Amino acid sequence: MSTAERLVESTRELLWERGYVGTSPRAVLERAGVGQGSMYHHFRSKRELALAAIRRTAEELRDRAGQELGAPGAALDRITAYARRERDVLRGCPIGRLTQDPDVMADAELRAPVDDTLRWLRGRLAEVVAEGRDRGELDPSTDPDLTAAALVAAVQGGYVLARAADSAEPFHQAVTGVLTLLADRSTTGSG
């Protein structure tokens, strides 16, 4: 892994663990195992490095969700695969957590990949729900946009509930609840 890659990966982890303010250049350098000059050789500022890290995290989230939601099979099965995939629930979503970081949210450029990713996720889920509805797998009255918003809210809210309880159980309950509601709209009986 190149020095620039080590810096980005270290920043990604620190942003997830500590947020923007807690991700000091010193912490990044220590985690990456590189000297001080290395950071400023590759990135003009902490902000530029953070932006690269946030963009990378957003890209990975979209790639993984895209694979699950784009797989063959029934819409409900693909949505279930996305919602129930293995996650480090108590750490939270690396993108969702950034929405709680006032420094990221106050900076339009740092906020953009977060907003874009969550908007993309809602859109992709809405497409899958619409496919299921149009193929007769889901009730014809199922609203794809509202359903997608509820799915994203259940997953993101599940992270919050799990972290507050220091238990993954509330996350699993939130996901099971929203999937049960969606399965109740299924016309195929899968789920």
Side-chain angles (χ1 to χ4, degrees):
M1 189 181 298
S2 72
T3 299
E5 285 296 310
R6 288 199 323 260
L7 288 164
V8 169
E9 289 302 313
S10 297
T11 302
R12 289 178 61 202
E13 286 294 316
L14 288 165
L15 285 169
W16 196 4
E17 293 168 13
R18 303 178 184 182
Y20 185 78
V21 170
T23 301
S24 68
R26 168 175 255 141
V28 171
L29 295 172
E30 287 175 7
R31 175 117 1 144
V34 299
Q36 185 173 5
S38 297
M39 182 173 142
Y40 296 106
H41 174 74
H42 295 286
F43 302 95
R44 290 185 306 244
S45 64
K46 171 187 166 179
R47 183 179 171 281
E48 184 179 289
L49 175 57
L51 182 59
I54 293 168
R55 285 178 175 159
R56 172 81 51 81
T57 298
E59 179 182 311
E60 282 188 8
L61 186 146
R62 286 190 307 269
D63 286 348
R64 183 151 186 202
Q67 289 173 11
E68 294 155 348
L69 296 170
L76 187 55
D77 294 338
R78 292 183 286 153
I79 291 167
T80 299
Y82 160 73
R84 292 199 186 278
R85 80 160 171 242
E86 188 173 325
R87 292 171 160 89
D88 192 349
V89 173
L90 294 180
R91 284 186 77 190
C93 172
I95 289 294
R97 286 194 61 183
L98 291 172
T99 66
Q100 300 301 311
D101 190 314
D103 294 295
V104 172
M105 292 296 100
D107 184 313
E109 195 172 9
L110 292 176
R111 184 180 64 245
V114 174
D115 182 40
D116 292 345
T117 299
L118 292 172
R119 188 179 316 111
W120 174 88
L121 182 58
R122 287 190 316 270
R124 187 64 187 106
L125 282 163
E127 290 171 3
V128 174
V129 171
E131 289 171 23
R133 182 196 60 197
D134 296 345
R135 290 192 305 216
E137 298 168 10
L138 297 171
D139 185 283
S141 66
T142 302
D143 183 298
D145 293 324
L146 295 177
T147 303
L151 286 161
V152 172
V155 170
Q156 292 300 318
Y159 282 122
V160 171
L161 295 172
R163 287 178 56 84
D166 195 28
S167 166
E169 188 58 27
F171 176 88
H172 298 300
Q173 289 172 340
V175 166
T176 298
V178 75
L179 290 175
T180 299
L181 292 171
L182 188 57
D184 288 347
R185 301 205 51 85
S186 172
T187 59
T188 62
S190 73

